[in-house]
Amino acid sequence: MNKAVCFFLAAMIYMSGMVWGSSGADYPFQPVPFTAVKFTDQFWLSRMEVNRVSTIPFAFKMCEDTNRIENFKIAGKLSDKLWDGEFGFNDTDVYKVIEGASYSLMVKPDAKLDSYLDEVISYIAAAQEPDGYLYTAYTAKAREHKKNIACCYHKDRWDDLASAHELYNLGHMYEAAAAHYQATGKRSFLDIAIKSADLVVATFAAGKNEGVPGHEEIEIGLVKLYRATGDERYLQQSKWFLHQRGRYAGIRSDYSQSHKPLTEQTEAVGHAVRANYVYTAMADVAAITGDVDFVKAIDAIWQNVADKKLYITGGIGARHAGEAYGDNYELPNRSAYCETCAAIANVYWNQRMFLFHGDSRPIDIMERSLYNALLSGVSLDGMKFFYPNPLESVAGHERSPWFGCACCPSNICRFIASVPGYVYAVRDKAIYVNMYVDSESEIKLGDNAVNLRQVTRYPWEGRVELTVNPAASEKFAVNVRIPDWTGEFSSSALYTFIDKATQPVIIAVNGQEVAVEPLNGYVVLDRKWQSGDIVTIDLPMEVRRLICDERVVDNVGKMAIQRGPLVYCVEGADVEGGKVLNLLFDKDSPLEVSFSDELNGVVVISGTAFELHNKADGGKERVACRFRAIPYYAWAHRGKMPMAVWLPYKQEQVNAIAAPTIASRSKVSVSFLSNVGNTKAEFVNDQLVPRSSGDHEKGFLHFWPHKGTTEYVQYDFAAPASVSNVSVYWFDDTGRGECRIPSSWQVLYREGDEFKPVQNFSDYKVTKDDFDGVSFLPVQTDGLRLMITGQDNFSTGVHEFKVE
């Protein structure tokens, strides 16, 4: 019986005993609120404090500096300026930072921050139109002076639901308003949200406007507003939007999960953030309304992601094009998108899947996302951010302080503040321990109150001491999660451990060992608890090497390293010689573990690898070198350098170091460098030959969105040379994007200050999936220019540009 069927049957057993609708039905397993869990550790507490004192104030400052807050004043006629920005959804960044600030206030009161929120909320109130409509770009008439506002092309309200983001904005506003009300008890923001939601309910219904949002989010926000107000109309509106998706003719695309009704979907497709937001909303609505068709669908989709579309870091979304899920087993590393927002959405969704089923596998995946793909998205000082989070880098990446589309920084603000809410859950007379964090918690369990104290250095050490202090001695269960990384099988069928677990999990209560026999991933400690009872949990943190399902072609012959919940990577700074992508690793060699004070303190893993060199006779030479691996979340903090998560242990998978060439020594310049996708000028002379023109793993240069234009790639040689041949491997992403092989090309050589055409002996062929070469009369020169003309209505690009 597969996972999806098991999940579905478990949900049906639960639902059969419930009365739905306004009865107060909800998830069978309830999360313990983050306000009841006080972190005292060094790992998460420090990040929450950085988020509070650095990230949130910085994000508010950026919202001011980029006029995101000013736009509310402009819409509310409190400012004479013109609406400013690239995106109609810029409003959401303000909402998300308010949400994060509200969570922060619940943990640590701050009168200055509270007052600042009041001021910003007053601007939002001014921007709201009398009937409740709220979208600053429209109200401030941005379209009249902004000709190219992405996601804001509509002339009238609601007339471009596919791209205008009006409803998406409102979803984040409802979430922020509910959080602010919960934090402060003030109704100022909540009343704005209610007025807006009343308009939505009155506007979108059968026989009226039957549209759905292009970008899902309002469905989550409406449920939160329902929980805050008890107004069931908001819950039903969320369900109506979900029901309409795939039925409304105006939006039909797998990009927005609207290619068919949600209840008929079994595979995760399209924009990964939108997808996981809608799966989260389906879970919320199903939990309260009892919609079994929603449960069946998200169970099947969850299994599809877990077993076919999940990165080992817990990241999701393989493709830059559409920021989207790829096909089954399409998990490239260098071109992986793995948007930070998608990792956050993956945590949301997987927690909901646990709350439905009480099974640890979604928590295993949640933890994988949380400690790896998500944390990679923010720098250690909380001031810089990744949008995509690739698993391999040739020339290195660096985080940015902000983006034109700033969804990831603002999402980080609201998420980090809420992490304590993922530690525990309860059901009836049982407490579920889902995360291990040094902390103290007050948990309501029926009529009893239970104080839990965790003492641990997790994720660096696997020993946890859990002191149970019930207010009244009582029989109940403490269910202790056994993480998948302690055993032989990952919660994702994609990944298999090479190293067998050699040490057992040990659990004891008051010094007496208990049998470790997990039920749905939890050891159930059901007994009468006395104040001061101590549970000790020893989770062996062995270094584990993993391999991947061979249907993931980019990982064949490679291994990854994991210790505890942390996935590791190798960066150039930690290898003798600074090479990473030219290393051969031994999957059986010993690895050493040590603690380093670098990177705010991390456990590093050390070993010996081999630098692989091409020999003149066609053979390979191995040169031993030492390496260290660091936690993936900590990469890109020491300058730009190569990095890899998946490490080759088969020689044919290694990019052996080639002898330097005229091309590889040259300085590269281009006519246009796109800021979209994984494109860099230096990829054209990195000597890495792609498998095909559509290979997204080997680096490439593209000129998108320039279409049908003539572009150039120029080499400035390290020294003058006589050359007579050029070969080019074209980039073409047919089926994924808008780059095609060019319509024509030409080689020019530099003579003095001019570039002149070479006298070619052969034709300029244009083909896919191989080098196109041209021979010409030898020229003595210090530079070449490759002139490339794209096909009409298409862009073009280059994988490799060789010179002889």
Side-chain angles (χ1 to χ4, degrees):
M1 189 178 294
N2 67 34
K3 297 173 192 173
V5 172
C6 290
F7 276 5
F8 182 64
L9 290 177
M12 294 309 96
I13 292 169
Y14 164 70
M15 288 180 170
S16 64
M18 297 301 298
V19 179
W20 302 104
S22 59
S23 64
D26 210 327
Y27 285 107
F29 301 84
Q30 285 290 303
V32 172
F34 71 87
T35 51
V37 182
K38 181 182 179 182
F39 283 0
T40 50
D41 74 322
Q42 291 303 308
F43 190 89
W44 283 111
L45 181 61
S46 62
R47 283 165 171 77
M48 290 176 63
E49 187 64 6
V50 164
N51 189 62
R52 185 183 74 84
V53 302
S54 298
T55 311
I56 290 173
F58 172 73
F60 272 132
K61 182 178 184 301
M62 291 305 298
C63 285
E64 291 176 355
D65 292 349
T66 59
N67 291 321
R68 281 164 164 81
I69 291 175
E70 188 74 15
N71 285 338
F72 287 96
K73 297 168 70 175
I74 296 165
K77 295 182 170 54
L78 303 176
S79 170
D80 294 330
K81 296 180 180 179
L82 295 176
W83 192 95
D84 188 28
E86 298 177 59
F87 303 100
F89 53 72
N90 281 1
D91 295 358
T92 65
D93 297 320
V94 179
Y95 299 148
K96 284 182 282 185
V97 183
I98 290 175
E99 184 181 351
S102 298
Y103 294 149
S104 182
L105 286 176
M106 291 186 229
V107 175
K108 195 162 186 175
D110 182 329
K112 184 177 179 181
L113 178 60
D114 190 12
S115 176
Y116 179 78
L117 293 186
D118 288 343
E119 179 184 351
V120 175
I121 291 167
S122 74
Y123 302 149
I124 297 171
Q128 187 170 40
E129 297 190 22
D131 65 352
Y133 183 82
L134 183 52
Y135 187 59
T136 65
Y138 178 82
T139 303
K141 296 180 172 55
R143 192 176 184 275
E144 294 181 5
H145 68 278
K146 287 273 190 178
K147 302 302 182 185
N148 295 299
I149 305 174
C151 308
C152 186
Y153 297 120
H154 62 311
K155 295 181 181 179
D156 298 307
R157 293 181 180 186
W158 322 119
D159 72 349
D160 187 13
L161 293 174
S163 62
H165 284 62
E166 290 157 291
L167 294 173
Y168 168 77
N169 284 16
L170 297 182
H172 279 301
M173 192 260 280
Y174 299 162
E175 289 202 71
H180 182 258
Y181 176 62
Q182 182 184 2
T184 67
K186 300 174 185 178
R187 293 189 60 93
S188 53
F189 202 3
L190 184 66
D191 287 341
I192 296 170
I194 290 170
K195 190 175 182 180
S196 165
D198 288 347
L199 175 66
V200 170
V201 170
T203 303
F204 292 90
K208 296 182 180 180
N209 188 328
E210 298 186 357
V212 298
H215 193 316
E216 304 94 312
E217 218 289 330
I218 193 172
E219 301 86 348
I220 298 173
L222 282 164
V223 173
K224 287 198 174 181
L225 200 56
Y226 158 73
R227 294 184 192 279
T229 65
D231 191 329
E232 193 163 336
R233 294 178 304 149
Y234 306 147
L235 173 66
Q236 295 304 322
Q237 188 66 46
S238 178
K239 183 175 181 179
W240 190 85
F241 279 136
L242 296 172
H243 178 268
Q244 279 292 97
R245 184 163 294 277
R247 294 181 171 90
Y248 170 59
I251 299 178
R252 287 286 180 86
S253 168
D254 58 5
Y255 171 74
S256 57
Q257 301 75 46
S258 55
H259 54 299
K260 56 185 174 182
L262 289 168
T263 53
E264 297 175 15
Q265 297 184 30
T266 58
E267 180 180 353
V269 296
H271 190 279
V273 178
R274 300 178 189 222
N276 279 32
Y277 279 174
V278 82
Y279 306 150
T280 297
M282 290 168 72
D284 282 345
V285 170
I288 303 171
T289 68
D291 192 312
V292 297
D293 291 331
F294 281 174
V295 179
K296 185 176 180 180
I298 56 175
D299 282 350
I301 295 168
W302 182 88
Q303 180 159 350
N304 172 252
V305 174
D307 291 347
K308 298 177 182 178
K309 299 192 177 187
L310 181 76
Y311 278 93
I312 195 166
T313 58
I316 55 169
R319 297 179 179 175
H320 280 251
E323 301 176 321
Y325 279 109
D327 295 332
N328 291 336
Y329 306 107
E330 181 187 341
L331 295 168
N333 295 310
R334 191 177 304 171
S335 62
Y337 201 64
C338 292
E339 184 182 338
T340 299
C341 286
I344 291 172
N346 205 34
V347 170
Y348 292 158
W349 181 31
N350 276 279
Q351 187 199 33
R352 262 73 161 195
M353 295 301 290
F354 161 79
L355 297 177
F356 244 126
H357 303 300
D359 189 287
S360 71
R361 288 168 294 176
I363 297 297
D364 289 333
I365 290 174
M366 182 192 84
E367 182 180 61
R368 183 174 292 279
S369 295
L370 182 58
Y371 277 95
N372 300 290
L374 194 157
L375 275 187
S376 167
V378 58
S379 62
L380 297 173
D381 65 3
M383 301 291 278
K384 292 185 178 181
F385 310 90
F386 273 145
Y387 201 115
N389 293 270
L391 280 74
E392 185 174 294
S393 179
V394 176
H397 286 61
E398 58 185 1
R399 295 172 181 84
S400 298
W402 198 251
F403 306 97
C405 172
C407 55
C408 296
S410 54
N411 238 347
I412 285 287
C413 288
R414 70 176 183 142
F415 180 81
I416 295 295
S418 68
V419 170
Y422 295 89
V423 176
Y424 297 108
V426 296
R427 182 182 185 184
D428 301 329
K429 291 291 186 178
I431 297 172
Y432 288 76
V433 184
N434 284 331
M435 286 179 62
Y436 297 105
V437 184
D438 197 283
S439 57
E440 185 161 0
S441 309
E442 299 291 337
I443 299 175
K444 183 174 174 57
L445 195 65
D447 296 329
N448 205 352
V450 181
N451 171 279
L452 290 183
R453 177 77 179 97
Q454 279 195 49
V455 177
T456 180
R457 290 196 71 247
Y458 196 93
W460 309 123
E461 296 177 7
R463 182 173 178 83
V464 182
E465 184 178 283
L466 179 66
T467 302
V468 183
N469 295 308
S473 179
E474 185 181 11
K475 187 176 186 295
F476 57 88
V478 175
N479 296 338
V480 175
R481 181 175 71 93
I482 307 301
D484 61 345
W485 49 261
T486 64
E488 301 304 326
F489 301 101
S490 168
S491 288
S492 168
L494 284 165
Y495 306 111
T496 304
F497 294 109
I498 299 174
D499 310 278
K500 300 297 181 184
T502 61
Q503 302 173 37
V505 174
I506 299 173
I507 297 177
V509 178
N510 296 329
Q512 293 292 115
E513 287 190 22
V514 300
V516 179
E517 297 173 349
L519 175 65
N520 295 327
Y522 294 85
V523 171
V524 179
L525 305 176
D526 194 356
R527 64 194 299 274
K528 186 174 183 179
W529 295 92
Q530 307 282 347
S531 184
D533 284 343
I534 297 176
V535 179
T536 53
I537 308 157
D538 283 296
L539 305 171
M541 284 207 172
E542 301 178 86
V543 177
R544 309 291 299 277
R545 284 168 276 210
L546 301 94
I547 55 174
C548 189
D549 188 307
E550 292 200 349
R551 285 171 286 190
V552 180
V553 295
D554 295 300
N555 294 339
V556 172
K558 298 178 181 179
M559 67 179 187
I561 299 173
Q562 182 172 342
R563 182 179 182 271
L566 299 174
V567 173
Y568 279 68
C569 68
V570 176
E571 277 196 294
D574 298 311
V575 179
E576 292 174 358
K579 305 288 185 181
V580 173
L581 305 181
N582 315 104
L583 297 182
L584 176 67
F585 294 81
D586 186 341
K587 63 184 177 68
D588 300 312
S589 65
L591 297 172
E592 302 110 42
V593 174
S594 60
F595 190 81
S596 171
D597 290 330
E598 294 179 88
L599 303 168
N600 287 0
V602 294
V603 167
V604 298
I605 299 169
S606 305
T608 299
F610 300 92
E611 208 175 69
L612 206 62
H613 295 258
N614 283 325
K615 296 172 64 177
D617 61 5
K620 308 290 183 185
E621 179 185 7
R622 298 184 181 187
V623 179
C625 62
R626 295 288 293 171
F627 75 90
R628 293 193 316 169
I630 63 169
Y632 171 75
Y633 76 76
W635 80 287
H637 281 94
R638 298 171 294 176
K640 296 176 72 172
M641 64 189 77
M643 179 279 295
V645 170
W646 286 98
L647 312 172
Y649 63 86
K650 289 188 176 180
Q651 184 166 295
E652 57 268 28
Q653 299 300 326
V654 180
N655 298 307
I657 298 172
T661 65
I662 294 172
S664 70
R665 290 192 181 104
S666 294
K667 177 184 176 182
V668 187
S669 57
V670 296
S671 57
F672 169 73
L673 185 61
S674 174
N675 62 0
V676 177
N678 186 34
T679 180
K680 293 182 180 179
E682 56 263 38
F683 285 152
V684 302
N685 66 342
D686 62 8
Q687 299 182 279
L688 301 179
V689 179
R691 290 188 297 264
S692 68
S693 291
D695 188 347
H696 279 62
E697 279 301 87
K698 298 297 191 293
F700 55 85
L701 167 74
H702 71 69
F703 298 104
W704 192 89
H706 289 192
K707 300 177 184 179
T709 57
T710 297
E711 309 289 346
Y712 70 76
V713 180
Q714 179 174 317
Y715 278 165
D716 294 311
F717 297 169
S722 177
V723 296
S724 59
N725 185 275
V726 161
S727 299
V728 185
Y729 205 119
W730 306 110
F731 173 67
D732 184 308
D733 62 356
T734 298
R736 294 180 61 169
E738 296 182 323
C739 288
R740 301 292 183 270
I741 58 175
S743 62
S744 64
W745 61 291
Q746 186 180 28
V747 177
L748 309 181
Y749 72 98
R750 183 160 50 203
E751 185 176 89
D753 295 330
E754 295 184 64
F755 279 93
K756 301 179 178 180
V758 299
Q759 297 180 34
N760 52 301
F761 298 142
S762 58
D763 294 333
Y764 285 102
K765 296 188 301 179
V766 181
T767 57
K768 287 174 63 174
D769 303 329
D770 204 350
F771 279 99
D772 284 333
V774 62
S775 298
F776 47 85
L777 186 70
V779 293
Q780 183 76 18
T781 185
D782 64 355
L784 291 180
R785 182 174 285 183
L786 183 66
M787 305 299 298
I788 311 163
T789 300
Q791 298 181 40
D792 289 345
N793 301 315
F794 287 104
S795 188
T796 190
V798 176
H799 271 292
E800 283 293 306
F801 171 16
K802 298 198 299 187
V803 178
E804 296 175 294

